[in-house]
Amino acid sequence: MSSLGFDKRVDAILRAIREAYNLNKIIPAAASNSGSLDLEKRVALPANTHGLVLSIQPATGYSDKPLTSPTGSYGDHNLMILGEEIRAAWLLSAGESNGNTRYVSGSSFATPLTAGIAALVLEFSRQKAKNVFSISEKHRAVLWSHRGIREIFQYVSNINDMSTHSGYCTISPWKLLDYKRSYEGFISEIEKLTFDSPAALSE
């Protein structure tokens, strides 16, 4: 996960991203908070490395794209998730006594939420019944990859009006993580969203 963003190319970061992708690592990355009304502001590195990371923008409680968000990357999977006024744990500075939480906003905070949802899905795929994985090995092999998690997020996303949100999809985890769904229902849904064999990982 990367909550950092850079305006210029950094070769060392690009190499690390490519190496992680080749090892099937899943990398949510903050798209930046510097969009404002300046059309020259673009998605930051490493979120702009198309196809290698999940580019994450913050959304308001109404699933709107804040003005501080840059225009989405053309042809990329631009994802949004709640990223405004999140109550977060916060280390107190010397002399502070007003509680150990703050309300924070921005893609740097939306990105960890995305990582947390991915972690919940991946952890579920590791559950066993009578010492046997409930989700088959071939489906887990796909799920535990950039491509597999991207499929999950596409499934649980509501696509916003292109003219208003520049093609951003709002992650709505309750589409999959519905407490009313049976255990077998979760398994069936996740296996439907993954490919038939690990060989399908090659793009």
Side-chain angles (χ1 to χ4, degrees), residues 3-159:
S3 286
L4 300 174
F6 300 88
D7 292 331
K8 297 180 180 178
R9 177 189 176 98
V10 183
D11 289 335
I13 291 177
L14 288 173
R15 284 194 301 272
I17 292 292
R18 292 191 184 101
E19 289 173 7
Y21 178 83
N22 289 335
L23 292 171
N24 281 336
K25 302 302 180 184
I26 302 159
I27 311 171
S32 95
N33 305 313
S34 58
S36 190
L37 297 177
D38 185 351
L39 296 180
E40 294 303 314
K41 296 293 185 181
R42 301 301 181 199
V43 175
L45 180 79
N48 63 4
T49 52
H50 297 191
L52 302 181
V53 305
L54 300 169
S55 178
I56 309 298
Q57 288 278 14
T60 69
Y62 297 99
S63 295
D64 291 326
K65 186 170 80 71
L67 290 176
T68 52
S69 296
T71 301
S73 300
Y74 179 75
D76 201 5
H77 299 283
N78 299 299
L79 298 169
M80 291 197 304
I81 195 168
L82 181 65
E84 286 206 339
E85 295 300 307
I86 300 172
R87 188 177 182 181
W90 201 269
L91 184 65
L92 293 176
S93 301
E96 286 188 320
S97 59
N98 59 343
N100 58 354
T101 61
R102 289 188 182 179
Y103 287 92
V104 295
S105 300
S107 60
S108 295
F109 302 102
T111 303
L113 286 183
T114 306
I117 293 168
L120 285 173
V121 175
L122 297 180
E123 177 57 30
F124 179 79
S125 76
R126 297 179 61 188
Q127 300 302 309
K128 293 182 178 181
K130 297 182 179 179
N131 211 34
V132 177
F133 283 113
S134 299
I135 294 178
S136 68
E137 182 178 353
K138 69 178 182 179
H139 286 96
R140 280 187 290 110
V142 177
L143 183 64
W144 283 68
S145 70
H146 170 84
R147 187 169 182 175
I149 285 297
R150 189 178 67 193
E151 287 291 322
I152 294 290
F153 283 146
Q154 283 182 304
Y155 172 75
V156 300
S157 293
N158 297 319
I159 300 177

